[in-house]
Structures are given as structure tokens and as C-alpha cells.
Amino acid sequence: MFQLVDASFEIDGKNILSPTSLNFSHGKVTTLLGHNGCGKSTLIKLLSRQNVPSQGKVLFNDQLVSSYTNLEFAHRVAYLPQHPPVTDGVTVRELVCFGRYPWKGAFGRYSKEDYAIVDEAIDKVGLSNFSQRFVATLSGGERQRAWVAMLLAQQSECILLDEPTSALDVAHQHELLALIRELNQSMGLSVIMVLHDVNMAAKFSDELIALHSGQVIASGSPAELMTPDTLMKIYGMELALFQHPQTGQPISYIP
């Protein structure tokens, strides 16, 4: 799927992301971890073509991301930024319809098939009863579900999410990530996202990539990264671990 080959990014001579080589697995949930300013959002913006690498290459399906037209890329990759646009006066169904924009047929009109795909996406995220509600009137968790529905309606191979849980309380964070995981497993959807909470990341991801000061310092399965030594490298503080009594999942805490 995505591949970085010695890709770096700098602004005004300041290095934000050091030369990085990575492979992202198809059909998996991969989460980027690290403290603020470590390069997570920069990396995902390189994948989404929001940023152009200063050096190196970013590939999707063995082809430079820059070689795709906007429509071709939108057919393959959907991206939700950390701060989505304001949606005042837009209903849930109207928002999700935006996801069909890259697929508009002749004369730029939505077809019956487009609307069927939109309604299916709304149903998948559990918002069928809210389709005519204005997005601005929804709770934070419901609003994020609406944005995810828009990404589903785009019918891309991969979705990129930059801190999708940043404005949510713990309950809604868990709810949204459980939804994303379920969509990944039921639809074979590839997901690459940025998260701050290492325990949530470990619970809902197949692969973790940890960054520090613009460099990848660890990557692997949650079990491989959830060790005291690796967590110390990522966050610069001592974190202890215990196993969930039912799932055996490692959970970190401040001792």
C-alpha cells in the first residue's frame, strides 16, 4: 500500500521529519504514536498529499502519490484532517454526499446508486435516525461518526485519520475507535491514523509506529511496542504495564 523511501520534510531549514523509510500493510489498522511535535501529523500529511516531501519518495501501490490526478487519488485514499471544515447548515446526509464527489457521473449529478451508497454509509456508522439532522447539532462522537460515514461513501481503499479522537471524551473515543476497527475487519478497509493514547492505540491497532523528534524510533505489533523500555523512549517517562485480566492486552500506567 503506502511506502516511504527516505522521505523527509522541513520548513525554513528546520527538519520536521528526518529521512524515513516505512511500509504500511494493506488491510491493517496502523497507528502513529508520539508526543506533540514528534512528526506524526507531518507524516500523515505526506501520505495524504497535503505536504510534499523535501526529499525522498512517497508511494501508493508502487506509484508516486504525486503522479495520481486528484480524482485518481481520491478514488484510492480518503483523508480526515485533525480540524475538519465548519459544517454549519449542513445535514448529515449532505455531509456524507460530499464523499461521492470524486465519483460524480455525467453533468456532475448524483445518481440513485450514489444516494444508496450514502445511505449505506450512514447506516454503517449508526446514524440512520440522524440523517436529516444538522451536523452542528450532533454530539462530538456523533459528529465524528458522520465524518467517518463521509469517508466510507468515498469508497477508497485506505482512510487516513489525523487525531480523530482529540475532541472526544474517553467513552466516545472508545466508541469511535471500536467502530473504525469493526469497519476495518468487516470491509477489509486499510486505516492509518494518529493517536495520543497509547492504550487505545494498542487495543485497536494491528501495527504501531512511534516517532520522537521527527524520527521513527520503534515499529511493530502492540505487544512488541508495549514494553517499559520502548515506552520510555517514546514518551520520556517511566510507564509500568499490567495485563488486562480477560484479554491479556498490555495496559500502561504511570506508577
Side-chain angles (χ1 to χ4, degrees):
M1 195 180 57
F2 274 109
Q3 183 182 11
L4 271 68
V5 182
D6 292 326
S8 65
F9 186 75
E10 62 179 46
I11 299 176
D12 298 329
K14 181 181 180 182
N15 188 52
I16 308 298
L17 184 70
S18 298
T20 299
S21 295
L22 285 171
N23 288 297
F24 292 85
S25 302
H26 177 76
K28 304 290 187 181
V29 175
T30 303
T31 297
L32 308 179
L33 287 169
H35 59 73
N36 289 338
C38 69
K40 304 184 302 297
S41 290
T42 296
L43 198 160
I44 208 164
K45 285 177 181 177
L46 289 178
L47 301 180
S48 62
R49 305 203 310 180
Q50 304 301 303
N51 288 341
V52 177
S54 303
Q55 297 179 34
K57 297 183 290 186
V58 181
L59 308 173
F60 184 80
N61 291 343
D62 299 320
Q63 186 174 331
L64 286 171
V65 295
S66 58
S67 68
Y68 291 96
T69 67
N70 289 338
L71 280 180
E72 288 171 343
F73 194 70
H75 289 170
R76 293 163 175 80
V77 179
Y79 168 63
L80 183 64
Q82 183 179 351
H83 303 292
V86 175
T87 52
D88 290 348
V90 177
T91 67
V92 169
R93 196 164 191 255
E94 289 169 339
L95 175 66
V96 179
C97 278
F98 293 153
R100 295 305 300 161
Y101 183 82
W103 301 93
K104 274 187 176 183
F107 310 110
R109 295 174 181 170
Y110 292 119
S111 66
K112 289 183 178 179
E113 181 183 2
D114 288 320
Y115 286 120
I117 291 168
V118 165
D119 291 335
E120 182 181 4
I122 293 171
D123 181 62
K124 272 184 166 51
V125 302
L127 289 180
S128 293
N129 293 333
F130 298 82
S131 62
Q132 298 306 317
R133 283 266 301 272
F134 288 113
V135 176
T137 68
L138 301 178
S139 69
E142 291 163 350
R143 195 175 302 125
Q144 287 297 80
R145 282 174 170 264
W147 283 108
V148 170
M150 186 195 74
L151 301 187
L152 293 180
Q154 195 170 322
Q155 291 191 312
S156 303
E157 301 172 37
C158 175
I159 62 173
L160 307 175
L161 305 165
D162 192 354
E163 298 194 29
T165 62
S166 62
L168 303 180
D169 59 39
V170 173
H172 285 107
Q173 287 180 37
H174 189 278
E175 183 182 77
L176 179 68
L177 293 174
L179 169 66
I180 291 168
R181 184 55 154 167
E182 191 279 324
L183 295 171
N184 154 256
Q185 293 178 336
S186 64
M187 300 173 62
L189 192 64
S190 302
V191 180
I192 302 172
M193 60 183 172
V194 172
L195 292 179
H196 277 292
D197 189 316
V198 65
N199 290 322
M200 290 286 194
K203 179 177 176 64
F204 293 108
S205 306
D206 298 297
E207 299 173 356
L208 303 178
I209 297 173
L211 293 97
H212 192 288
S213 303
Q215 295 184 322
V216 174
I217 59 170
S219 63
S221 68
E224 290 171 328
L225 263 70
M226 292 290 280
T227 68
D229 287 346
T230 302
L231 293 175
M232 170 63 84
K233 291 178 183 177
I234 298 171
Y235 296 107
M237 63 182 297
E238 183 181 352
L239 293 172
L241 293 163
F242 69 93
Q243 288 190 328
H244 190 286
Q246 295 177 321
T247 66
Q249 174 196 338
I251 299 172
S252 67
Y253 66 97
I254 300 174

